[in-house]
Amino acid sequence: MHPIIAIVFLPLIAAIVAGLANKAVPSVFAKAITTGALFISCALSWPIFLGFVGGTAETSVIPVLQWVQSGSLDFDWALRVDTLTAVMLVVITTVSALVHLYSWGYMDEDPDQPRFFAYLSLFTFAMLMLVTADNLVQMFFGWEGVGLASYLLIGFWFKKPSANAAAIKAFVVNRVGDLGFMLGIFGTFWVFGTVSIPEILEAAPSMSGSSIGFLGMRVQTMDVLCILLFIGAMGKSAQLGLHTWLPDAMEGPTPVSALIHAATMVTAGVFMVCRLSPMFEAAPVALGVVTFIGAATCIFAATVGTTQWDIKRVIAYSTCSQLGYMFFAAGVGAYGAAMFHLFTHAFFKALLFLGAGSVIHAMHHEQDMRYYGALRKEIPLTFWAMLAGTLAITGVGVYHLGLGFAGFWSKDAIIEVAFARGTELGMFAFWMGVFAALLTSFYSWRLMFLTFWGKPRWADSEHIQHAVHHGHDEPEDHNPAAQEDAGHDVRHDVPSPNYNAGTGGYHPHESPLTMLIPLGLLSIGAVLAGQFFAPAFLDSAAFWNGSIFYNEPLIHAMHAVPYLVKYAAFIVMLLGLAIAWFAYIKNTSIPGKAVEQLGPVYRFLYSKWYFDELYHYLFVVPAFWLGRQFWKLGDIGTIDRFGPNGVAWIVEKGSVGARKFQTGYLYSYALVMLLGLVAAITWVLF
């Protein structure tokens, strides 16, 4: 049996067993079987990946069963294993296995642990099904599977209204993107006559330049198909316009955030674009759309991340921004660079999310960084892990020394390749990428300084004391008055100067070993993943072996860009670090003054560019108005009026008339019978 069968189906079996057993057995049973299955899948995935790195593995397709035979639509359920699949296998199984282990400690007090671990494994199975798809229908099956599982995980604490609202929002927004994805699949089948991915990619170059009728116009066939497919990617990967679900998804448990936003669901769109890269290469307009949307998302999310004080939301917007890098890399034709950043990002972003979860665990589920401070001495292991992740995401490294953390190798390569592309959109992406790198450094170090340096603002925090004494599992929405009472100026992103931190109160504690081991392993990936695998991902066409479109001249041009371009990301990283240090360590009055001076700009960024408000008035309000009209005029005014209520009225009035004949006298009944008989005879005769 090919190991891919075990890799894909072990998480499904574990999810079914844990879900059906639920509370009938001890929680440790569900945790052990799901975590064990994921570690086995992870152990089987790495040799496959390393085989492709070493050049000893070959592309293979393993049939599972016959699926659909209907006219010209004929395809099987098969698992495709090539380089692109192998990359995703190690990313998904490694992060998922570590998230499972981490959840042993983080979810230890939750009474619904079997359900949680079953959802995690179900999510992993759906994602594995997506990346091993050999046809578009199977990919769509996995695509919708991760959507369902993410809905269940985001709304895991279903007794919280905010968690339910976040889960519904994620589900609805992704349905918008999925409509585009479905139309793209339908159109692809109509044009190519097949849903087999290898057959479509082989025929795609010959379709370049052909046109098709669409919305009453003649347009380029491949541009229409690829833009529709990319709309699906925009929803799943939270690109600008369909991004609004991602920060709200932080309502789920922190391990869910790491699993969904680090390595799996949000990278599905990037994977899909790279898998179908020969199609996109035949669609220049679609590639331009991908480049622009990716670059715009990159800068949008970075600007918003600079103003947030919820530690998980900062990292969530960071994810959105990093996905923008991946997409504009694919848009300029550097699919290998896009996948390389996906690979390295999985390690350092999972590390940052799980590290944030360790901080939240230490602070009794407090997520507001204004209640943190001076934690590096209280939780030193978490501090060093978070520091490794921050060095990785900010791209610390020196080009001439050939040394750097993971983000240095992948993110800097994307910035360089955008410049090397030389087009107007390429230069736009380059400048947006450089500016976003500056903001990334600023908000990442701001997070570190607010959390681990400064004064211990948690020592006498009434908010945390209230949570400790009342045993809150998750924080409620913050009350501005309570924040003022706790010694914080809610108008600014800094502690109030009137706040006097004491030494008593709640004391933070380091996380258990089950949470620290995943942090340690992910730290290794954040430090070394880029260093070890950059040559294969960026410079080896043999490594990719035809699994993506590899533009070798563009990669050569990337290495030949001026040194100032190569050091651009490093320079702005240092600038962002310096600004954050000066504002949050050297002179903590600066952020408050900046907010006062830039009030409208700050409110615009803090309010996430008012996308939620815009969508509320454009879509939510009209939808509710339309729903009320259907309810009042259609349901109550028409259906109920002439249906159940109307029939009931007729029966009621008829019964009133019928009661008048119920006199109890025999001659009355005889008279009625006689009249009825006369009426019947008259009807027959005339």
Side-chain angles (χ1 to χ4, degrees):
M1 182 179 70
H2 196 283
I4 191 64
I5 300 293
I7 292 172
V8 172
F9 289 103
L10 275 176
L12 175 63
I13 295 171
I16 293 173
V17 173
L20 292 179
N22 200 5
K23 296 181 180 180
V25 295
S27 296
V28 68
F29 172 78
K31 295 192 291 187
I33 192 170
T34 53
T35 306
L38 260 299
F39 270 94
I40 293 173
S41 292
C42 178
L44 294 174
S45 298
W46 275 96
I48 295 176
F49 170 69
L50 295 176
F52 282 101
V53 173
T56 59
E58 296 182 355
T59 299
S60 58
V61 178
I62 295 85
V64 178
L65 52 82
Q66 288 187 334
W67 199 357
V68 173
Q69 290 180 325
S70 177
S72 60
L73 184 62
D74 185 357
F75 58 89
D76 296 334
W77 188 354
L79 305 178
R80 182 176 185 82
V81 183
D82 57 13
T83 305
L84 187 61
T85 303
V87 171
M88 295 302 295
L89 287 179
V90 296
V91 165
I92 295 167
T93 58
T94 301
V95 173
S96 184
L98 294 178
V99 166
H100 275 73
L101 178 59
Y102 179 93
S103 299
W104 280 60
Y106 192 87
M107 302 294 291
D108 184 54
E109 297 178 0
D110 196 285
D112 288 331
Q113 292 179 67
R115 179 166 61 90
F116 179 76
F117 280 85
Y119 287 171
L120 287 182
S121 294
L122 178 64
F123 182 97
T124 308
F125 163 74
M127 194 66 198
L128 290 170
M129 189 56 60
L130 190 159
V131 301
T132 57
D134 192 47
N135 59 75
L136 292 177
V137 178
Q138 185 179 330
M139 181 182 287
F140 186 72
F141 171 78
W143 193 274
E144 293 303 300
V146 295
L148 169 64
S150 66
Y151 168 80
L152 297 173
L153 287 167
I154 294 169
F156 176 75
W157 283 313
F158 56 85
K159 293 182 180 179
K160 287 177 60 181
S162 57
N164 284 328
I168 293 172
K169 187 175 184 179
F171 199 81
V172 171
V173 172
N174 273 276
R175 296 293 72 72
V176 177
D178 291 352
L179 175 61
F181 191 44
M182 285 190 292
L183 292 175
I185 293 175
F186 297 156
T188 301
F189 174 69
W190 184 54
V191 170
F192 292 97
T194 180
V195 293
S196 171
I197 292 176
E199 294 178 16
I200 292 170
L201 299 185
E202 183 179 358
S206 64
M207 295 299 297
S208 179
S210 64
S211 62
I212 190 175
F214 183 73
L215 299 178
M217 303 177 292
R218 296 299 298 181
V219 292
Q220 295 295 309
T221 304
M222 297 307 297
D223 284 325
V224 171
L225 297 181
C226 289
I227 289 175
L228 289 173
L229 293 169
F230 178 63
I231 291 173
M234 288 176 63
K236 199 65 70 181
S237 296
Q239 293 300 282
L240 188 64
L242 296 178
H243 68 279
T244 54
W245 66 270
L246 187 142
D248 288 5
M250 297 300 103
E251 289 291 340
T254 299
V256 173
S257 303
L259 186 62
I260 294 178
H261 303 119
T264 50
M265 177 173 162
V266 293
T267 59
V270 180
F271 166 81
M272 186 266 288
V273 171
C274 292
R275 169 63 81 197
L276 304 180
S277 53
M279 284 184 67
F280 281 85
E281 283 297 309
V285 174
L287 279 181
V289 172
V290 174
T291 304
F292 178 79
I293 294 294
T297 304
C298 182
I299 194 65
F300 154 75
T303 59
V304 176
T306 60
T307 63
Q308 304 300 303
W309 58 67
D310 184 313
I311 188 171
K312 286 173 65 177
R313 284 182 178 264
V314 173
I315 304 174
Y317 279 108
S318 171
T319 298
C320 192
S321 181
Q322 299 304 308
L323 288 165
Y325 276 105
M326 300 176 206
F327 274 111
F328 80 67
V332 299
Y335 303 99
M339 289 302 302
F340 186 34
H341 196 48
L342 185 156
F343 179 78
T344 60
H345 174 263
F347 292 105
F348 63 71
K349 186 52 61 68
L351 174 61
L352 288 171
F353 264 120
L354 296 184
S358 184
V359 173
I360 294 168
H361 184 268
M363 300 303 294
H364 203 80
H365 296 283
E366 174 58 59
Q367 296 179 196
D368 193 326
M369 295 185 295
R370 294 172 298 177
Y371 293 102
Y372 293 168
L375 289 176
R376 69 185 188 280
K377 296 180 181 179
E378 309 296 333
I379 46 174
L381 297 179
T382 299
F383 162 71
W384 286 109
M386 289 284 284
L387 182 62
T390 302
L391 293 171
I393 192 174
T394 55
V396 174
V398 181
Y399 173 75
H400 278 89
L401 296 180
L403 297 173
F405 291 82
F408 165 77
W409 295 98
S410 57
K411 186 170 69 176
D412 287 26
I414 289 175
I415 293 174
E416 293 167 19
V417 81
F419 182 90
R421 186 67 177 181
T423 62
E424 291 183 1
L425 277 173
M427 292 307 298
F428 170 73
F430 167 75
W431 287 112
M432 292 300 99
V434 170
F435 187 39
L438 168 65
L439 298 179
T440 300
S441 178
F442 170 75
Y443 66 65
S444 297
W445 288 110
R446 167 179 165 270
L447 183 153
M448 291 295 293
F449 293 146
L450 283 174
T451 303
F452 295 105
W453 273 272
K455 296 180 180 179
R457 299 181 299 277
W458 41 268
D460 287 334
S461 170
E462 295 178 10
H463 185 76
I464 293 182
Q465 298 308 315
H466 178 79
V468 171
H469 293 130
H470 290 81
H472 290 171
D473 290 331
E474 281 292 295
E476 301 295 333
D477 292 337
H478 291 298
N479 184 334
Q483 291 184 349
E484 291 284 6
D485 292 340
H488 295 80
D489 185 345
V490 295
R491 295 169 300 169
H492 307 322
D493 200 12
V494 291
S496 167
N498 297 324
Y499 177 62
N500 182 22
T503 58
Y506 178 70
H507 196 77
H509 56 88
E510 189 62 275
S511 299
L513 199 61
T514 52
M515 295 172 64
L516 294 176
I517 291 175
L519 293 181
L521 295 175
L522 289 170
S523 297
I524 296 173
V527 174
L528 300 177
Q531 193 85 38
F532 282 176
F533 297 109
F537 277 87
L538 297 177
D539 300 324
S540 176
F543 167 70
W544 291 110
N545 194 26
S547 60
I548 61 171
F549 180 86
Y550 186 79
N551 191 333
E552 195 163 353
L554 180 61
I555 299 301
H556 289 318
M558 177 191 77
H559 291 303
V561 297
Y563 284 128
L564 185 59
V565 175
K566 290 184 178 295
Y567 276 99
F570 180 76
I571 293 170
V572 297
M573 180 274 297
L574 292 178
L575 181 59
L577 168 60
I579 295 172
W581 176 82
F582 198 76
Y584 292 96
I585 299 296
K586 181 67 175 178
N587 186 354
T588 56
S589 66
I590 290 178
K593 295 177 181 178
V595 169
E596 292 178 356
Q597 294 293 324
L598 304 172
V601 176
Y602 176 84
R603 287 191 294 272
F604 177 73
L605 298 181
Y606 179 74
S607 300
K608 301 158 286 188
W609 293 25
Y610 293 107
F611 267 100
D612 283 321
E613 290 79 2
L614 178 65
Y615 286 176
H616 176 75
Y617 288 109
L618 282 181
F619 302 115
V620 177
V621 171
F624 273 98
W625 177 86
L626 186 62
R628 282 193 297 269
Q629 301 311 306
F630 278 119
W631 168 45
K632 292 183 178 180
L633 298 180
D635 194 5
I636 297 177
T638 303
I639 297 175
D640 287 350
R641 180 182 179 186
F642 297 104
N645 293 344
V647 172
W649 181 85
I650 293 173
V651 171
E652 180 184 2
K653 297 302 180 183
S655 63
V656 172
R659 283 202 303 269
K660 295 179 180 179
F661 294 99
Q662 304 300 321
T663 62
Y665 297 109
L666 184 61
Y667 58 81
S668 296
Y669 301 147
L671 177 61
V672 171
M673 294 172 62
L674 179 61
L675 292 175
L677 181 60
V678 171
I681 294 173
T682 303
W683 172 262
V684 172
L685 293 177
F686 298 99

